Each structure stands twice: as C-alpha cells, then as structure tokens.
Amino acid sequence: QVQPVESGGGLVQAGGSLRLSCAASGRTFSSYDMGWFRQAPGKERGIVAAISRSGASTYNADSVKGRFTISRDNAKNTVYLQMNRLKPEDTGVYYCAASFGRAWVPTRVAEYDYWGQGTQVTVSS
C-alpha cells in the first residue's frame, strides 16, 4: 500500500512552468505504475500522464504532448510532472495516483488504487 502526497502547485502566468512532485509512502513504491490526473471545475477527472513501474514506459495525453514530462525516482519514492508552456486550460486540481498489478500503463481513473488529496494549479492569461 502507498499513500501519494502532491506538492508544487500554485499560480503561474500563461507560458510559464511548474514542477509537481508526488511523494509516496511505503516500501513498495517501485511496484506501482503512477499517474497524474487533473480535474477542472465542472469537468470529470482525466489522465494527464502516466509512467510504468520502472519508468521505461510513459503516456501523455494529447493535450499536453510536447509540454509536460512525467518522470520518477524510485530511490526517493517520488514521481514528478514537469509542466512547461502552461496554458489557461491547464488550470485544475492535479492528483497523483498509484496503480498495482496491471500489465499495461493504466490511463483510466478506475485503474488506479490509491489517490492523493490533490494540488491546485492555476494558469492566468
């Protein structure tokens, strides 16, 4: 079992950058695929990026390709989301989540077992 805790959110102008971090407690962090999701007001929570247990495979939503990069450091039990060239439509609460026992990199909310509390990202125009 892991418990993700997000940090690094805030207010940034369009075109700026932020790096989100997610520290996960537990000694089996490297056994979990990890994902970042976001939820804007009035919208459903959706995948932003995901990374496999080893870090060898990643997934990025079309809306963030070329701008966001997901990475992980298993020695530090931490996953990161580097967000560049931010746009107002990137605004929302960003959640870190952990998934166990999948044969693929999961991209759906229902495929994730443990969730953090979320961190707010606001991009002003």
Side-chain angles (χ1 to χ4, degrees), residues 1-4 24-35 51-55 72 74 77 79 97-102 104 106 111-114:
Q1 181 172 342
V2 294
Q3 180 57 56
S25 62
R27 292 180 292 178
T28 59
F29 176 74
S30 60
S31 299
Y32 291 83
D33 300 309
M34 300 297 294
I51 189 165
S52 63
R53 293 177 286 275
S54 68
R72 67 189 295 162
N74 285 344
N77 282 18
V79 61
S99 176
F100 182 78
R102 310 287 176 181
W104 59 90
E111 295 175 314
Y112 283 80
D113 306 294
Y114 303 100

Side-chain angles (χ1 to χ4, degrees), residues 69-123:
T69 302
I70 188 171
S71 61
R72 67 189 295 162
D73 184 340
N74 285 344
K76 296 182 178 180
N77 282 18
T78 302
V79 61
Y80 305 97
L81 184 67
Q82 178 65 46
M83 305 186 293
N84 298 327
R85 291 185 282 132
L86 282 157
K87 303 176 181 180
E89 50 264 43
D90 294 318
T91 294
V93 178
Y94 282 68
Y95 297 91
C96 176
S99 176
F100 182 78
R102 310 287 176 181
W104 59 90
V105 178
T107 60
R108 297 185 300 162
V109 170
E111 295 175 314
Y112 283 80
D113 306 294
Y114 303 100
W115 291 83
Q117 293 298 309
T119 185
Q120 176 71 43
V121 172
T122 303
V123 184

Side-chain angles (χ1 to χ4, degrees), residues 45-67:
R45 192 174 301 187
I47 187 75
V48 175
I51 189 165
S52 63
R53 293 177 286 275
S54 68
S57 297
T58 61
Y59 169 88
N60 289 282
D62 287 344
S63 60
V64 306
K65 283 181 179 177
R67 301 188 298 123

Side-chain angles (χ1 to χ4, degrees), residues 2-20:
V2 294
Q3 180 57 56
V5 179
E6 305 94 339
S7 62
L11 174 64
V12 63
Q13 288 188 332
S17 298
L18 280 176
R19 188 174 83 155
L20 304 183

